[in-house]
């Protein structure tokens, strides 16, 4: 994923759009929790969060596998959380 994203801005943009679209299906509680990570409103968090994740994968700061592992409750999410917070 990193090679593909780093070489194609249109692929990154498409991935961000898909990510934002996927956020619409989440519960209000989950949206609120995710919005708190970047300190954004519920309306604006999807674009901010998805942009940070996709750009981090593109730059090599995070792998797609790291992102997928972060969805598990027993995973070490510290790097993913820092990226979502913009640090």
């Amino acid at each position: 994923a990193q090679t593909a994203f780093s070489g194609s801005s249109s692929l990154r943009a498409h991935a961000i759009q898909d990510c934002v679209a996927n956020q619409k299906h989440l519960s209000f509680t989950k949206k609120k929790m995710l919005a708190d990570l970047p300190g954004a409103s519920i309306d604006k968090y999807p674009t901010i969060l998805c942009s940070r994740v996709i750009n981090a994968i593109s730059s090599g700061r995070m792998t797609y596998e790291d992102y997928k592992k972060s969805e598990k409750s027993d995973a070490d999410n510290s790097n993913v959380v820092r990226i979502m917070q913009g640090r």
Side-chain angles (χ1 to χ4, degrees):
Q2 186 221 346
T3 303
F5 285 151
S6 64
S8 173
S9 60
S10 63
L11 184 59
R12 278 193 309 275
H14 184 70
I16 291 168
Q17 287 175 345
D18 283 350
C19 177
V20 169
N22 288 333
Q23 303 301 306
K24 294 178 182 174
H25 306 291
L26 300 176
S27 69
F28 177 80
T29 303
K30 182 85 171 181
K31 288 177 183 179
K32 177 70 174 124
M33 189 229 14
L34 289 170
D36 286 344
L37 285 170
S41 69
I42 289 179
D43 293 336
K44 293 185 180 186
Y45 94 86
T47 302
I48 294 168
L49 198 70
C50 293
S51 294
R52 288 178 180 173
V53 168
I54 298 301
N55 289 331
I57 293 170
S58 175
S59 70
R61 287 186 60 213
M62 176 172 69
T63 65
Y64 179 73
E65 290 75 21
D66 292 338
Y67 174 70
K68 292 307 287 180
K69 286 180 196 172
S70 73
E71 296 173 348
K72 297 179 182 176
S73 61
D74 62 342
D76 176 11
N77 297 328
S78 56
N79 187 45
V80 176
V81 169
R82 277 194 303 276
I83 288 167
M84 289 177 172
Q85 290 174 333
R87 297 189 282 146

